[in-house]
Amino acid sequence: MRNPPHRPTTESPGVRIAATLVCFLFLGVFLVLPLVAVFVEAFGKGVSAYFASFQDPDALAAIRLTLTIAIIAVPLNLVFGIAASWAIAKFEFKGKSLLITLIDLPFSVSPVVAGLVFVLLFGAQGLLGPWLIAHRIEVIFALPGIVLATIFVTFPFVARELIPLMQDQGTSDEEAALTLGASGFMAFWTVTLPNVRWALLYGVLLCNARAMGEFGAVAVVSGHIRGETNTMPLHVEILYNEYNFVAAFAVASLLALLALLTLAAKSFLEWRYGDAIAGRAAH
Amino acid sequence: MVPTRERRQTRFRFRRPSAIPGFPLAFGYTLTYLGLIVLIPLATLVMRASTLGFSGLWNVVTDERVLSALRISFGLSFGAAFLNAFFGLVVAWVLVRYDFPGRKLLHAAVDLPFALPTAVAGIALAALYAPNGWLGEPLSHLGIKVAYTPLGIFIALVFVGLPFAVRTVEPLIAEIDREIEEASATLGATRSQTLWRVVLPPLAPAILTGFALAFARAVGEYGSVIFIAGNIPYISEIAPILIVIRLEEFNYAGATGIAVVMLAISFATLLVINLIQTWSRRRFGDA
Amino acid sequence: MEIRVEHLSKDFAETAALRDVSVTVRSGELMALLGPSGSGKTTLLRVIAGLEVPDEGRVLFGDEDATHVPVQNRGVGFVFQHYALFRHMTVTQNISYGLRVRRRADRPGADEIDTRVRSLLALVQLEGLGARFPAQLSGGQRQRVALARALAVEPRVLLLDEPFGALDAKVRKDLRRWLREIHEHTGQTTVFVTHDQDEALELADRVAILKDGRIEQVGTPEQVHETPATPFVMSFIGDTTRLPVRARGGSLWYEETPLSLAAPDQGDGPTDLYLRPWDVAFADTAEAGTLSGTILTIRRSAAGRRASISLIPSGQIIEVELPIASLAAVRDPILLRILRGKAFPASEQRGA
């Protein structure tokens, strides 16, 4: 009892060290090791083999397609996120919590099911299939289908970052702007948007990472046509299944890099603008 | 004056009037977009399933291979979510409470499964746990086979669910008032009594929510699983893969049947999460 | 239980430091630790409780050296500033917590726990609210639950950190009186921290005044009010004006006016004279020892009226309580006589 006791609000040093080791081991095995494996495998046959993987026109087509999808899907979900959070955070109406639940719904739907619903809607056997064929409009196994599936799975990202934050901020800023003679649009542009800009950027980053990396939903609707409907993740799959591991991991390393950049930007935003991002319950 | 106001209060009103403009546009756009992208497509699935009829659906779902795939999916997802709930709590506690070199880096790394495309995670895990992989080889000497077995699926599901388990409890641990723990200590409780009786109970709803989110994510997971699973029917074939296989066979009825079951599970999980949160709000005053 | 604190020092980043603090809390006494924020009063309380370990010095409970006894075994009841109630437990569960976490051998039976909770609920006047959760109580009720919880373990000493800080003025007054009654009823050795001098003077048997981690004075409310040991105590307890004067030949002079006040023993030289608003009276005629001035402002407070008076010709401003019948108005010239005051050798930095 002579020993000065450790602070009463923490565990004994032994427990602390053990728990920290468990934390390192668990995260190390489950998170860090796979990430390291991607880059090690990609450079396994040397740097030239790595860069040779990007000479393949199909790889370049996959990169182009992935960028195209993100450029279409992310802005659409951004506009939706702003509209939804404006309606939900600035107004009181019946059924609001149901609406929030519905917006979150795509998060809990399997990506494969997400892809399937579009096949059932637009596929040859689908509800609108015969009409689309008659008018020679391609949705499934083509760009529109892939974009739709991507929008579905990335649907809630921007909205769910903005809604809690804008609910916390209330309506007094906007009301102040209105009393000073601002139009509704001006109030939004000059007061609301600056208040939420970092959360918005945060949501866009996450949305973009998922849009570029989506696999399951896109796999179902794409048809895996090389050079045409293959996104980067799908191209990784094809290369891997062909035992072309260096090329598979090389393309994968680009996606992993995107993930790392996203995480870095996310950590920076949290560190620098933590208060400006956090609503009551972010995740 | 007074009677009008009273009448106004009793009359059903969809929206409380507000000086702020833009509601019809924002709300209308939200509903339209939500309907077109999410609700109508999901409704199509349910409609399609209903054309199968109850017996048709029953036949699809009670197919031996489907049943075993559902069992594998739900069983392994449950296990993975359980493991994540436990280790997620430890990880969150360590990240919030202890200071050590590399803490910030680990903190950022927790979100990796959110950001890393599932296919990339899938091939990385497959490479790691393959019989000649960094982890697969030492494990195979111990007689443990990971790749192409349910254990491989389990590992992939732990990977994808991890951030949910950590991120739901982390902010609550950060919010715990140290005074609470001090109060417990002044009343004579040992540290483990304090943790068990005072710290843990308020975290329970968050732990459950994290568990449910990790479970929901794991049940639907596809990309990170298919490479490591080997997809052997009755052994390592999960429900989402079976949907894809049925689609490739142009067996839309089969695919739809499995999908509807999975969708129902998604809804049920969402409902459970909402119930947990309502309950905890009522009990503790806030979320 | 007598509590002695001997030569306590503590230095660290997050909380206010303590520097060689020694004080004795007598058995059965109600003592206030009074000081501005950052004075170390809460740190002192937490060291007594065992929530902080001192760098140097000892804490004695009676004759037992408790310095390194863990908080769990120290037998203190601690009421936290924000109550720290366990929000997932009912009022009853909160109060009985300290009994339920005891080892089986020391744990009272369920019936006894029940009886004790009941009597505590009665003591803190919360009968019938045992099944509520903290979120369903008002601030004053939570405060009382926190007190009952601390008393349930039959502590050797009761420690309260800013017990009324988070309550509104009316509730605070009621609880103050009620805490005094409880103390008289239980006879429990009690130490509480406050920054509110009224609270300390009204409630405590003795007051310890802290500043910058040191004890300035320990005494009864009467002593610290009437015979403050330092200028800080004088100015912290009640309103004061400092008048720069000079000691010359055994008496005090304000500029060229002799004040009929004896100088302190320190000999001739610059001296600070501290005045309460009622230490100054109005004079009708100019004579030896009267000062002249002009009324700058008059303020009404709940207790009376206060005038700020600018002395002629120095411009020095002093605060004076106006007599009830006074008809004095702003800008009136006025004559003043200093009746009493407390003189200390002039502090280093002269100024405001």
Side-chain angles (χ1 to χ4, degrees), chain C residues 69 127 337:
Chain C
V69 174
E127 295 105 322
R337 170 181 302 284

Side-chain angles (χ1 to χ4, degrees), chain A residues 24-266:
Chain A
F24 263 97
L25 203 67
F26 187 70
L27 295 187
V29 168
F30 278 97
L31 299 184
V32 181
L33 221 48
L35 186 67
V36 173
V38 171
F39 289 98
V40 171
E41 295 280 343
F43 287 100
K45 296 261 161 60
V47 178
S48 55
Y50 175 80
F51 284 108
S53 310
F54 301 115
Q55 305 294 324
D56 178 11
D58 290 343
L60 293 177
I63 294 173
R64 253 196 316 274
L65 179 61
T66 293
L67 291 175
T68 311
I69 291 164
I71 286 168
I72 302 171
V74 174
L76 283 173
N77 280 341
L78 170 65
V79 171
F80 164 73
I82 289 172
S85 54
W86 183 261
I88 287 170
K90 303 296 175 192
F91 301 93
E92 288 306 319
F93 56 91
K94 298 257 181 343
K96 187 193 271 193
S97 55
L98 176 69
L99 184 59
I100 295 175
T101 307
L102 289 177
I103 289 173
D104 268 348
L105 189 59
F107 270 161
S108 47
V109 171
S110 170
V112 171
V113 175
L116 173 69
V117 296
F118 290 106
V119 173
L120 292 180
L121 203 53
F122 300 113
Q125 312 266 326
L127 210 59
L128 303 175
W131 185 86
L132 290 173
I133 291 167
H135 291 79
R136 296 167 185 243
I137 302 172
E138 283 188 317
V139 177
I140 297 304
F141 306 146
L143 185 67
I146 301 175
V147 169
L148 275 173
T150 305
I151 291 177
F152 183 100
V153 292
T154 59
F155 186 80
F157 277 100
V158 179
R160 80 169 331 190
E161 288 302 329
L162 289 185
I163 290 169
L165 179 63
M166 280 170 64
Q167 279 182 325
D168 260 13
Q169 289 177 341
T171 55
S172 50
D173 284 8
E174 285 78 13
E175 283 163 356
L178 294 177
T179 61
L180 295 170
S183 67
F185 179 75
M186 279 298 285
F188 169 76
W189 191 251
T190 58
V191 174
T192 313
L193 208 54
N195 276 341
V196 301
R197 62 181 185 272
W198 298 115
L200 195 72
L201 179 58
Y202 191 88
V204 165
L205 280 173
L206 297 180
C207 182
N208 179 62
R210 182 72 194 269
M212 290 194 173
E214 178 50 31
F215 180 72
V218 172
V220 172
V221 295
S222 113
H224 295 80
I225 308 167
R226 274 202 171 201
E228 280 183 39
T229 63
N230 249 2
T231 63
M232 283 168 78
L234 295 178
H235 195 61
V236 169
E237 183 197 16
I238 290 179
L239 292 170
Y240 187 86
N241 287 341
E242 288 170 348
Y243 302 102
N244 190 351
F245 291 137
V246 168
F249 279 102
V251 178
S253 74
L254 284 189
L255 289 167
L257 207 61
L258 169 74
L260 287 179
L261 287 177
T262 305
L263 284 190
K266 180 174 183 289

Side-chain angles (χ1 to χ4, degrees), chain B residues 90-145:
Chain B
V90 175
V91 167
W93 186 266
V94 170
L95 288 179
V96 174
R97 283 300 179 92
Y98 305 160
D99 208 5
F100 52 89
R103 191 181 68 91
K104 292 225 169 83
L105 215 59
L106 276 195
H107 181 91
V110 168
D111 278 334
L112 187 69
F114 279 152
L116 193 69
T118 53
V120 178
I123 62 168
L125 289 172
L128 274 180
Y129 290 96
N132 58 353
W134 294 349
L135 295 174
E137 194 171 357
L139 285 171
S140 71
H141 289 309
L142 298 171
I144 303 170
K145 207 169 164 308

